[in-house]
Amino acid sequence: MIEVFKTNVQEVEQSKMIVGKLLEHFPNSVINFDLEDCDKILRINASSFSNQKIIELLDSYGYHCEVLL
């Protein structure tokens, strides 16, 4: 399952921290950012995860995140 999110993450260091935190919650996942994209894309490839949980986790770190339709 792959999901793509729009975020307001701007810096590479921020994205690395967030990927690390998300991997703590979803350890068998492939997670990455495309900060070159205008939507600052977060991609998650995992067997199972909750979109709402991803959004809540990013929110808890002070970042906006929404499913990209």
Side-chain angles (χ1 to χ4, degrees), residues 22-59:
L22 290 174
L23 285 170
E24 290 175 14
H25 292 273
F26 308 100
N28 296 318
S29 306
V30 176
I31 303 172
N32 58 53
F33 276 89
D34 180 357
L35 298 180
E36 299 296 318
D37 188 278
C38 64
D39 290 323
K40 308 302 182 194
I41 297 295
L42 166 63
R43 279 188 202 84
I44 301 180
N45 184 350
S47 56
S48 69
F49 61 89
S50 160
N51 288 350
Q52 190 59 37
K53 181 71 172 170
I54 301 293
I55 291 167
E56 289 171 5
L57 284 167
L58 261 79
D59 184 61

Side-chain angles (χ1 to χ4, degrees), residues 7-10 13-15 17-18 55-65:
T7 75
N8 66 343
V9 175
Q10 299 292 323
E13 289 305 314
Q14 295 169 332
S15 68
M17 181 274 295
I18 292 167
I55 291 167
E56 289 171 5
L57 284 167
L58 261 79
D59 184 61
S60 74
Y61 300 122
Y63 298 100
H64 175 76
C65 177

